[in-house]
Amino acid sequence: MTTIDIAARFPRTSLKEAWMRSQQSEKWVFPETICSSVTMIYGRSNVGKSYLVSSMLLSLMVDGREVLGGQPTNRTKVWRPAILWTDPGSDEEYAERIYPELPEEAEIGIFRAGRTTRADEWEALADYLVTEGLNFVVVDNLQGVTGDTNES
């Protein structure tokens, strides 16, 4: 039988601690649209998801640029986005939409993720992205990275 350190595996917090942290963090990247933790944009192929994401990334990187009639909640934050892509040609698709309008000094990290199903790979990738200061991560597309969740 494997021994599990319960305190390490299942960290406990109090409601007061969670509430205090919640008061110090911004809930939205784009007001009432894209939250600051996880937002999933889902739909059939070729309906404009990547176009919308490209517009959002440009709004984060270009002063005064709006998306869906709004701007990021925190206009003073230095955004360093990353795109994790899986489908053939996705990097070129994002480059065509973003690069021509991106300020010269701005950079968006773009990584071919491929199938990434092992927890240690996700942990290593997350550590790398945080270490590099990347603070807005797009996964395109989730099923391409994790595989079909119905097959599990």
Side-chain angles (χ1 to χ4, degrees):
M1 180 178 200
T2 304
T3 303
I4 298 173
D5 180 349
I6 297 295
R9 172 61 181 90
F10 304 101
R12 183 179 183 169
T13 189
S14 71
L15 284 177
K16 181 179 180 179
E17 291 168 331
W19 181 82
M20 290 172 66
R21 283 193 316 273
S22 78
Q23 300 307 297
Q24 298 169 7
S25 62
E26 182 59 56
K27 305 285 186 276
W28 299 100
V29 175
F30 291 94
E32 307 293 323
T33 307
I34 304 297
C35 72
S36 62
S37 57
V38 175
T39 298
M40 180 180 281
I41 300 171
Y42 185 82
R44 294 186 313 211
S45 296
N46 300 313
V47 296
K49 298 178 303 296
S50 297
Y51 180 83
L52 175 62
V53 168
S54 297
S55 293
M56 283 191 291
L57 294 176
L58 282 167
S59 183
L60 293 174
M61 306 293 288
V62 177
D63 286 336
R65 169 106 181 201
E66 291 188 353
V67 63
L68 300 175
Q71 292 183 336
T73 303
N74 185 346
R75 294 184 190 148
T76 62
K77 184 171 185 167
V78 176
W79 291 101
R80 298 207 52 231
I83 302 169
L84 309 179
W85 59 277
T86 61
D87 296 344
S90 290
D91 56 339
E92 295 169 5
E93 181 181 347
Y94 278 107
E96 287 175 352
R97 291 181 176 150
I98 297 171
Y99 184 76
E101 297 186 50
L102 202 60
E104 190 172 313
E105 69 281 358
E107 185 179 341
I108 294 178
I110 185 162
F111 305 86
R112 185 180 189 290
R115 181 76 53 94
T116 310
T117 56
R118 293 188 355 232
D120 62 326
E121 290 180 324
W122 280 113
E123 188 173 331
L125 180 57
D127 288 346
Y128 176 79
L129 296 173
V130 169
T131 300
E132 290 295 306
L134 301 169
N135 57 9
F136 188 93
V137 179
V138 172
V139 177
D140 185 349
N141 79 47
L142 185 60
Q143 195 170 43
V145 173
T146 62
D148 187 348
T149 56
N150 291 319
E151 292 177 3
S152 306

